């Protein structure tokens, strides 16, 4: 939904609030993005789980 301007703006604000509270992408936070043309696929999710959680 990152191609929807209001959603993308809110997502950026949320990520910034995480960082203000010392929660950083790649350390304590996994972030994924998708648009109508670029849909998040299950293989990408599996790869992230293997990299960060297993």
């Amino acid at each position: 939904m990152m191609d929807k301007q209001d959603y993308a703006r809110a997502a950026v604000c949320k990520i910034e609030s995480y960082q203000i509270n010392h929660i950083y992408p790649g350390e304590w936070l996994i972030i994924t993005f998708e648009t109508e043309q670029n849909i998040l696929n299950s293989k990408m999710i599996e790869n992230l789980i293997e990299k960060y959680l297993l």
Side-chain angles (χ1 to χ4, degrees):
M1 294 186 44
M2 292 303 283
D3 49 352
K4 301 189 183 331
Q5 188 175 20
D6 290 338
Y7 181 91
R9 188 176 301 123
V12 169
C13 288
K14 187 182 287 189
I15 293 167
E16 287 176 351
S17 71
Y18 285 135
Q19 292 176 342
I20 288 168
N21 290 289
H22 308 284
I23 301 170
Y24 302 104
E27 289 182 13
W28 297 102
L29 181 64
I30 297 172
I31 298 177
T32 61
F33 301 96
E34 68 179 343
T35 66
E36 288 184 20
Q37 280 74 38
N38 297 322
I39 298 172
L40 183 65
N41 65 49
S42 60
K43 184 61 178 165
M44 176 72 71
I45 294 170
E46 288 175 15
N47 290 344
L48 290 169
I49 290 170
E50 288 177 11
K51 179 173 180 67
Y52 293 108
L53 302 177
L54 300 179

